[in-house]
């Protein structure tokens, strides 16, 4: 059977944006920003997106479009030798990320159901924490993890055009519209002024004092939110024709993902300040506490809450399908397997890997820390070295396809990819790996001992 392609240009862009926009923007970005000091983190993150994220997305695009192959096969074909095995890293990363991603997405879906059936009524921190406990661990969490994975499997099983492309054409515009509405509503909240000050005026002291944690956190966040470092963009670009300007498409995708993350800050921080929560404390769960409390007290709160949790669930879905597609495209390109069994097999295995996360949140930190602090940065580093040093000519010629005029930016791109980006990524990887080892040695060891 012939390999599928995107039906339309906008379909590809929306699929890539749908992959990029997800829990990374809506759940991870606010709590990272809170933990790493507010506006200072935002600034470093934005710098990373422009200087590293944009060139790195092009790196994945040229690999995918040149070969029209999955993430494993494309590196084997272009690099040969040991590069044959690098793609395996992406397969592992995909398994790790989607297993916990689906559990967290299930929480949002569960809150959506809470809103629809009971409305949001908890007003105290203690009650909110209790509700989060019920949602996030045990049977509820397991059931919604299963439901979410079933949806992901269903869409991916339908294929590129009928499944992914059709789904994102509806989802992405809906996400953007609703977030703009919620942000506009945020301006009317009591805490809005304080929230904007916190979010927008950077304290450069924080950057200087905390750079060893801020740098890897910002790098990890930039890759996570742009779906980089694990072959998603290779896979999606592999369904592309040669007639398109990769740089323009990448620009649109990076811009939309970043604009949406920044917009989410304008939604979440006013709600958090309105609920009186300290933004430095909004860890993985506390964002749910403050939001449910806010939705319980605001006029039309339940409706706002339903919209919010609905949007997040949809956004998470369009990201999750891209992760599963990396694994499925690998399986069907490289093995005599059809799409349906490949999707069911990979999706089922991911469901099982996520089960521990539904039992104890320590597994969330274990998997997210590994994926974000180490695997994605490592994957991105390998890809930039590959394109920058092993196949620079292929990279440049592929980047030039679909462009009519000669572009001086191509050389700047190659130069960035070869040196500055490699250096920053090596530093970020070393710091991120140390951070993760520290987590294993201290927090995880304490958990094991308890
Ligand atoms: N970019 C997605 C988000 O922000 C997460 C993701 C990471 C998707 C890696 C694919 C690959 O939610």
């Amino acid at each position: 059977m012939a390999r599928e392609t995107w039906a339309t240009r906008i379909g590809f862009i929306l699929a890539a944006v749908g992959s990029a926009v997800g829990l990374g923007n809506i759940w991870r970005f606010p709590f990272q920003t809170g933990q790493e000091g507010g506006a200072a983190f935002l600034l470093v993150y934005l710098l990373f997106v422009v200087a590293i994220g944009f060139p790195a997305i092009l790196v994945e695009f040229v690999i995918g479009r040149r070969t029209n192959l999955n993430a494993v096969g494309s590196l084997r074909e272009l690099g040969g030798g040991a590069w044959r095995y690098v793609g395996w890293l992406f397969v592992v990363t995909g398994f790790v990320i989607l297993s916990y991603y689906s559990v967290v997405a299930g929480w949002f879906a569960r809150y959506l159901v809470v809103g629809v059936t009971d409305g949001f009524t908890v007003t105290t921190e203690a009650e909110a924490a209790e509700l989060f406990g019920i949602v996030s661990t045990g049977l509820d969490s397991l059931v919604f993890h299963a439901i979410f994975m079933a949806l992901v499997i269903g869409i991916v099983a339908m294929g590129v055009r009928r499944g992914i492309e059709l789904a994102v054409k509806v989802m992405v515009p809906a996400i953007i519209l609703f977030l703009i509405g919620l942000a506009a509503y945020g301006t009317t909240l009591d805490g809005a002024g304080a929230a904007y000050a916190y979010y927008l005026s950077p304290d450069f002291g924080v950057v200087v004092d905390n750079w060893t944690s801020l740098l890897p956190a910002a790098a990890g966040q930039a890759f996570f939110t742009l779906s980089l470092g694990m072959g998603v963009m290779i896979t999606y670009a592999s369904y592309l024709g040669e007639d398109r300007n990769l740089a323009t498409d990448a620009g649109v995708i990076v811009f939309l993902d970043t604009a949406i993350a920044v917009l989410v800050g304008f939604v979440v921080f006013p709600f958090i300040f309105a609920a009186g929560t300290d933004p430095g404390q909004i860890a993985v769960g506390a964002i749910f506490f403050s939001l449910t409390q806010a939705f319980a007290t605001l006029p039309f709160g339940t409706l706002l809450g339903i919209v919010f949790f609905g949007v997040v669930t949809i956004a998470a879905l369009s990201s999750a399908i891209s992760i599963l597609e990396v694994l499925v495209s690998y399986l069907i390109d490289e093995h005599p397997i059809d799409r349906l069994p490949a999707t069911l097999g990979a999706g089922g295995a991911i469901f099982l890997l996520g089960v521990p996360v539904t039992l104890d949140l320590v597994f969330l930190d274990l998997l997210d820390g590994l994926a974000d602090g180490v695997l994605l940065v490592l994957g991105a580093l390998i890809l930039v070295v590959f394109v920058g040093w092993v196949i620079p000519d292929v990279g440049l010629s592929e980047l030039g396809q679909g462009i009519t005029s000669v572009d001086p930016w191509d050389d700047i791109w190659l130069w960035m990819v070869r040196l500055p980006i490699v250096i920053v990524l090596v530093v970020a990887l070393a710091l991120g790996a140390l951070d993760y080892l520290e987590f294993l040695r201290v927090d995880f060891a304490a958990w094991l001992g308890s």
Side-chain angles (χ1 to χ4, degrees):
M1 199 174 83
R3 211 168 179 275
E4 281 195 274
T5 54
W6 301 108
T8 58
R9 166 165 195 243
I10 192 80
F12 162 68
I13 291 187
L14 289 180
V17 171
S19 168
V21 175
L23 298 179
N25 307 59
I26 305 176
W27 165 71
R28 224 173 170 285
F29 172 73
F31 86 75
Q32 286 283 312
T33 307
Q35 282 172 358
E36 301 292 335
F41 176 83
L42 176 64
L43 194 76
V44 177
Y45 157 77
L46 288 177
L47 213 87
F48 268 84
V49 164
V50 176
I52 298 181
F54 177 66
I57 204 171
L58 284 174
V59 163
E60 296 203 18
F61 279 178
V62 295
I63 296 175
R65 187 172 70 171
R66 168 55 61 113
T67 57
N68 295 127
L69 280 175
N70 65 91
V72 180
S74 56
L75 273 117
R76 184 199 54 227
E77 176 159 312
L78 289 172
W83 294 103
R84 163 189 297 268
Y85 304 105
V86 170
W88 272 97
L89 175 69
F90 304 141
V91 174
V92 172
T93 310
F95 267 96
V96 171
I97 294 188
L98 190 50
S99 66
Y100 72 86
Y101 199 89
S102 165
V103 175
V104 176
W107 301 347
F108 281 94
R110 180 75 185 93
Y111 271 101
L112 171 64
V113 172
V114 170
V116 172
T117 55
D118 304 326
F120 295 106
T121 51
V122 296
T123 47
T124 66
E125 175 103 27
E127 285 173 322
E130 195 191 324
L131 177 62
F132 178 70
I134 296 172
V135 168
S136 66
T137 29
L139 190 62
D140 279 52
S141 181
L142 183 66
V143 168
F144 277 81
H145 169 46
I147 296 175
F148 188 81
M149 274 314 296
L151 288 173
V152 176
I153 290 172
I155 296 176
V156 173
M158 306 262 287
V160 175
R161 285 190 184 189
R162 272 190 318 141
I164 301 176
E165 188 164 345
L166 213 62
V168 295
K169 272 190 179 159
V170 185
M171 290 180 185
V172 174
I175 296 168
I176 297 176
L177 276 179
F178 283 123
L179 284 177
I180 290 178
L182 287 168
Y185 184 85
T187 61
T188 66
L189 297 178
D190 265 353
Y196 299 146
Y198 168 82
Y199 188 43
L200 298 178
S201 35
D203 173 355
F204 292 101
V206 174
V207 181
V208 177
D209 292 344
N210 295 347
W211 73 275
T212 53
S213 77
L214 208 146
L215 185 80
Q221 177 62 24
F223 288 124
F224 187 88
T225 187
L226 290 170
S227 307
L228 292 177
M230 61 148 289
V232 167
M233 296 300 174
I234 296 180
T235 307
Y236 273 13
S238 76
Y239 303 125
L240 264 183
E242 291 293 335
D243 53 340
R244 295 252 289 281
N245 184 336
L246 292 179
T248 335
D249 286 7
V252 174
I253 293 158
V254 172
F255 171 79
L256 279 175
D257 180 65
T258 310
I260 290 174
V262 172
L263 182 64
V264 167
F266 282 100
V267 175
V268 169
F269 287 113
F271 281 105
I272 283 174
F273 275 74
T277 309
D278 169 4
Q281 298 302 317
I282 48 167
V284 291
I287 189 168
F288 291 95
F289 307 0
S290 47
L291 288 174
T292 39
Q293 278 173 270
F295 293 138
T297 39
L298 295 169
F300 305 109
T302 290
L303 186 64
L304 288 171
I306 291 174
V307 171
F308 178 79
F309 288 115
V311 167
V312 183
T313 306
I314 294 172
L317 201 54
S318 62
S319 300
I321 57 184
S322 73
I323 305 178
L324 188 55
E325 181 63 23
V326 170
L327 310 178
V328 169
S329 71
Y330 157 70
L331 288 172
I332 57 186
D333 277 0
E334 310 280 307
H335 303 276
I337 307 180
D338 285 334
R339 181 171 274 272
L340 182 64
T343 313
L344 282 171
I350 287 168
F351 167 74
L352 291 179
L353 188 61
V355 169
V357 182
T358 68
L359 302 175
D360 195 313
L361 291 188
V362 77
F363 291 105
L364 175 60
D365 291 332
L366 191 72
L367 296 176
D368 184 50
L370 176 65
D372 210 74
V374 183
L375 295 177
L376 290 181
V377 185
L378 178 64
L381 176 62
I382 290 174
L383 289 175
V384 294
V385 169
F386 180 64
V387 170
W389 295 97
V390 182
I391 54 154
D393 299 338
V394 172
L396 278 181
S397 87
E398 191 58 39
L399 195 61
Q401 295 289 325
I403 302 177
T404 35
S405 60
V406 183
D407 207 328
W409 287 97
D410 291 7
D411 296 326
I412 301 179
W413 170 73
L414 189 60
W415 179 81
M416 286 288 294
V417 164
R418 291 188 125 179
L419 214 60
I421 295 182
V422 170
I423 295 171
V424 177
L425 289 187
V426 168
V427 175
L429 180 61
L431 292 171
L434 285 177
D435 242 21
Y436 189 62
L437 288 178
E438 185 72 8
F439 161 79
L440 288 181
R441 207 175 55 77
V442 181
D443 301 69
F444 195 60
W447 178 85
L448 282 178
S450 69

